[in-house]
Amino acid sequence: MDSQGEMAILIIYTGGTIGMVRDPGTNALHPFDFSHIQDQVPEIKSFGSTIDAIAFSPLIDSSDVTPEFWVKLATLIEKHYLDYDGFIVLHGTDTMAYTASALSFMLENLQKPVILTGSQLPIGTLRTDGKENLITAIEIAAAHRDGQPLVPEVALYFENRLYRGNRTTKTSSEHFNAFSSPNYPALADIGINIKYNHQAIRYPTTLRSLHIHQRLETDIAVLKLFPGISENMVKAVTRDDKARGIILETYGSGNATTEDWFIREIQDAVKHGKVVVNITQCLAGKVDMTAYENGRRLLDAGVMGGYDLTTEAGLTKLMFLLGLGLDSQRIHKNMEFSLRGEISS
Ligand code: ASP
């Protein structure tokens, strides 16, 4: 029997539109304190669960998110891990998919729900989507069967779908349905009832305690290809001495220009120890560097395949793997292997 009662949930409020109010001078939105959210959603107090809240200081627009912020968030979850059955992270939508992806790698052996949500309209406005998002996220975080949580993952809830966090990307700055998970099914569909897709949810197979990873390598670049990209622009990345990794956003199934200078730059970057990962610019589908000659040239140059990783998951996975201090062979192995359900291969 599924139930939500008598659980302890911790809401971690980081900022984002959900709690923002308009500045009377500039008319721009800026984050406001948690009591504002509580006043707008009095239901929080009458839930069958114990619900506590912690607010970040300062509250931020999520376009100010940094890896240090992720460490702070992961540490906070670890600190309260044994006291709560589930966690809600209220977060701005702009970088929510990055944070969800990063957290999934940082929280090893996670056995409890960590549900990120936010809204497109501030919670104080008449047509806000924030109230429904928050209430449903709490229900999901509290849902359990025979004492076990139904969603022991880092997940993202928005509008009427629950997604695996590291499979998401923000695809609309306007619609309430702001996120997509193009290469992985929803973990739950929400209508009158919450229908969990148990086959898609990862359930732990061993009982290990939570371990958080705090070291992330941040000297990484995302190089998005476009027709006409210049040698100088590519060199600015490939010849940057500090860059340890490059996410190469390629075309289609992982193709790039075969111009000699380009292949040479990529090859040299790999030779000098940079990890180069091929991720497609396509929203859905996967990288297969053996499909076309143009892709094969990258494979031969030593580029690793990102298969169906999103840029958000590929970038944070690379930060995580480099942060572990692995050599490029082990990074290669782990990059193509599913660590947290982020990749289909
Ligand atoms: N700029 C806001 C943020 O990401 C947008 C939002 O929350 O929807 O914090």
Side-chain angles (χ1 to χ4, degrees), residues 15-18 20 60-63 91-95 119-120 170:
T17 296
I18 191 161
M20 288 187 180
I60 56 169
D61 183 300
S62 79
S63 43
H91 193 288
T93 59
D94 289 348
T95 61
S119 69
Q120 293 281 57
K170 183 174 178 181

Side-chain angles (χ1 to χ4, degrees), residues 37-239:
I37 297 184
Q38 257 170 332
D39 291 348
Q40 300 298 327
V41 195
E43 292 87 343
I44 293 180
K45 292 184 194 128
S46 54
F47 244 91
S49 303
T50 302
I51 299 174
D52 295 328
I54 295 179
F56 262 50
S57 176
L59 294 164
I60 56 169
D61 183 300
S62 79
S63 43
D64 278 324
V65 158
T66 58
E68 291 77 42
F69 166 93
W70 294 332
V71 171
K72 206 170 144 190
L73 191 51
T75 311
L76 202 57
I77 292 170
E78 183 192 38
K79 184 171 166 207
H80 295 282
Y81 192 67
L82 297 178
D83 304 329
Y84 292 92
D85 299 294
F87 300 83
I88 308 285
V89 179
L90 292 181
H91 193 288
T93 59
D94 289 348
T95 61
M96 195 186 288
Y98 288 90
T99 296
S101 298
L103 278 184
S104 76
F105 299 114
M106 296 168 84
L107 302 174
E108 187 164 351
N109 304 328
L110 181 70
Q111 317 243 357
K112 296 184 180 183
V114 173
I115 315 293
L116 284 92
T117 195
S119 69
Q120 293 281 57
L121 279 177
I123 211 148
T125 56
L126 212 49
R127 291 177 52 249
T128 185
D129 50 331
K131 195 166 166 171
E132 193 279 321
N133 283 350
L134 175 55
I135 290 173
T136 304
I138 296 174
E139 278 206 41
I140 293 167
H144 61 287
R145 179 186 286 169
D146 302 330
Q148 298 304 315
L150 290 190
V151 187
E153 294 208 33
V154 177
L156 185 156
Y157 175 67
F158 225 82
E159 238 237 325
N160 51 8
R161 294 242 156 80
L162 180 75
Y163 296 119
R164 175 169 298 151
N166 58 31
R167 292 293 196 146
T168 59
T169 191
K170 183 174 178 181
T171 43
S172 176
S173 61
E174 196 178 329
H175 293 138
F176 286 147
N177 194 357
F179 290 88
S180 305
S181 171
N183 286 323
Y184 199 74
L187 303 184
D189 274 299
I190 290 83
I192 293 174
N193 296 305
I194 301 181
K195 287 192 194 139
Y196 291 96
N197 183 1
H198 293 288
Q199 262 127 11
I201 299 170
R202 287 181 99 223
Y203 291 100
T205 48
T206 52
L207 278 178
R208 297 217 184 103
S209 41
L210 180 75
H211 173 70
I212 69 157
H213 296 271
Q214 304 193 35
R215 281 188 50 208
L216 297 171
E217 173 58 63
T218 55
D219 281 320
I220 293 181
V222 177
L223 181 59
K224 181 170 182 158
L225 300 186
F226 56 90
I229 191 167
S230 76
E231 196 169 339
N232 280 346
M233 292 304 147
V234 171
K235 278 183 178 168
V237 174
T238 52
R239 300 206 179 183

